[in-house]
Amino acid sequence: MSTLPYRRAGRSGLDLSAFSFGLWQKFGTDYPFQTQREIILHAFELGITHFDNADRYGPPHRAAQKLFGRILQRDLAAHRDELILSTKAGNPIGASPYLQGGSRKSLLGSLDHSLRDLGTDYVDIFYHHRQDDSTPLEETAGALVSAVQQGKALYVGVSNYDTERAHEIAGLLRGAGVPLLVHQPRYSIFDRRPELNGLLEQAAADGFGLVVYSPLAQGLLTDKYLDGIPAGARAQNSAFLKPDVIDDTYRQRATALDKLASERGQSLAQLALQWVLRRPEVTSALIGASSTAQLDHNVQALDFPELTAEELTLIDEHGVHGTGLRL
Ligand SMILES: NC(=O)c1ccc[n+]([C@@H]2O[C@H](COP(=O)([O-])OP(=O)(O)OC[C@H]3O[C@@H](n4cnc5c(N)ncnc54)[C@H](OP(=O)(O)O)[C@@H]3O)[C@@H](O)[C@H]2O)c1
């Protein structure tokens, strides 16, 4: 097994591998189990020890956790102590009010279900998946604290929270003796919200880390869409990446970034991953992959020299916030 660098999550005592692997897309019942198993085991072989899941991931909902549970039992059980497993709750998985939101009922019910699906007694990180302004933040924070006190989670996180609510819940959790470990926002060259809304600075001030998701903008920050949409690519068959975002403006910007990457002797994907990890507030880049080759390629992002100030300026010029994304 190789090792990747580990990075400290905020002011906690926990290190996460520089890359984390997520099971959002292509880890439901719609893809072959053997391929999914190979990718997950390969990620671990490469030194990725943090696996990110959610009750919602599939299709159908809960399928990705059941899949990971099978692999955990069959292949990774002896390594449980070396793994960081995370799950999330609160993003709707059904019409019932107990299958969504930030209530105690919803969060703790989902966590119990996830533990059964994953076949583990505890997860390392339990997240509230998305901000719910209709539930008192004290109730949500209380449910996260209970998860830790009940021994079902070691640490807690939030995802998709705006900066102010993240700061507020960090205060509530700190007061209850269960500090917020991490926030999981979307962050990439094409999605600058954590820079624009002050989240990066708030993370440093409050002492939580950032596990940033979709650092490749779901594949838009690779060279795969520069000449059309290849067969089997996510933009061909996902509700979350529609082909219409791959337009001339996108191509022009991605091509300029690709050229800059080539001049550095790397690929656009490697440049994009290195770019999110340049910030010390970012604990880990949370990636997906549909093949082991993508993983091999992507982890090599760490082998290149740091981006210079001049290169960062060029990236800002072509990496326009919102490109290819529905914000
Ligand atoms: N908290 C939240 O609300 C939230 C939301 C979204 C995601 N997430 C988490 O973040 C994880 C990662 O999200 P993501 O999958 O969008 O991340 P991403 O790393 O931006 O995109 C990964 C996808 O890009 C393509 N790709 C990767 N490497 C490539 C390469 N070298 N060349 C060409 N194509 C390449 C693959 O798609 P194809 O090959 O299939 O085209 C791959 O599945 C998720 O699994 C989930 O755990 C969390």
Side-chain angles (χ1 to χ4, degrees):
M1 185 184 149
S2 331
T3 51
L4 283 178
Y6 278 86
R7 293 160 69 107
R8 185 57 55 102
R11 287 198 289 273
S12 75
L14 187 74
D15 292 335
L16 296 180
S17 47
F19 290 113
S20 304
F21 187 77
L23 281 80
W24 177 40
Q25 300 268 309
K26 299 193 174 172
F27 287 88
T29 54
D30 50 346
Y31 281 87
F33 172 73
Q34 270 317 329
T35 311
Q36 296 167 324
R37 175 171 171 259
E38 251 174 55
I39 293 171
I40 287 168
L41 295 182
H42 195 64
F44 183 62
E45 277 298 310
L46 289 173
I48 296 177
T49 52
H50 176 209
F51 291 90
D52 182 76
N53 230 313
D55 55 3
R56 201 174 146 81
Y57 296 169
H61 296 321
R62 303 195 194 281
Q65 301 208 124
K66 288 188 179 128
L67 166 87
F68 194 88
R70 277 174 78 189
I71 295 166
L72 181 62
Q73 187 187 31
R74 184 172 160 165
D75 303 295
L76 293 174
H79 296 287
R80 177 65 186 94
D81 295 346
E82 298 156 65
L83 294 172
I84 297 293
L85 304 186
S86 62
T87 189
K88 318 185 200 73
N91 219 352
I93 56 168
S96 161
Y98 316 132
L99 298 176
Q100 55 186 288
S103 72
R104 186 173 180 82
K105 166 79 178 164
S106 169
L107 293 185
L108 294 177
S110 168
L111 177 58
D112 280 342
H113 204 131
S114 292
L115 292 177
R116 288 197 295 277
D117 288 345
L118 289 164
T120 184
D121 295 339
Y122 71 98
V123 287
D124 296 277
I125 309 173
F126 180 47
Y127 283 93
H128 184 211
H129 204 152
R130 81 175 198 201
Q131 184 171 319
D132 170 16
D133 290 331
S134 71
T135 298
L137 203 57
E138 288 77 5
E139 179 171 340
T140 301
L144 294 175
V145 169
S146 292
V148 171
Q149 288 171 342
Q150 291 168 8
K152 294 173 182 171
L154 299 185
Y155 299 91
V156 297
V158 295
S159 181
N160 303 307
Y161 269 46
D162 66 32
T163 306
E164 202 185 315
R165 293 287 266 180
H167 169 62
E168 264 180 78
I169 201 165
L172 290 170
L173 290 166
R174 192 182 309 117
V178 179
L180 181 66
L181 179 78
V182 278
H183 183 307
Q184 191 178 121
R186 190 166 75 178
Y187 184 42
S188 74
I189 289 175
F190 285 158
D191 186 346
R192 304 296 188 99
R193 277 176 302 180
E195 294 170 4
L196 299 171
N197 65 18
L199 184 62
L200 293 170
E201 287 74 17
Q202 196 63 55
D206 280 326
F208 54 83
L210 296 173
V211 172
V212 301
Y213 73 79
S214 300
L216 298 175
Q218 301 198 58
L220 294 178
L221 284 164
T222 72
D223 60 9
K224 77 190 310 168
Y225 297 118
L226 297 182
D227 297 312
I229 301 180
R234 187 180 296 185
Q236 240 190 2
N237 56 9
S238 166
F240 300 95
L241 184 64
K242 293 292 184 196
D244 60 353
V245 301
I246 298 165
D247 57 13
D248 286 345
T249 307
Y250 159 75
R251 261 190 297 274
Q252 189 195 334
R253 291 170 182 167
T255 302
L257 292 169
D258 186 59
K259 182 166 169 281
L260 172 61
S262 304
E263 285 162 9
R264 285 174 47 81
Q266 63 185 167
S267 71
L268 174 53
Q270 290 164 340
L271 175 91
L273 293 171
Q274 214 186 343
W275 184 85
V276 291
L277 287 168
R278 84 200 184 286
R279 294 285 309 216
E281 303 88 343
V282 172
T283 309
S284 187
L286 174 50
I287 56 174
S290 63
S291 69
T292 55
Q294 287 178 354
L295 282 174
D296 284 328
H297 181 87
N298 295 350
V299 299
Q300 284 168 21
L302 299 174
D303 299 343
F304 294 90
E306 275 184 25
L307 295 157
T308 64
E310 209 174 281
E311 288 164 342
L312 289 170
T313 305
L314 275 173
I315 292 172
D316 286 346
E317 191 183 313
H318 302 293
V320 179
H321 175 61
T323 307
L325 301 173
R326 293 208 176 89
L327 291 169

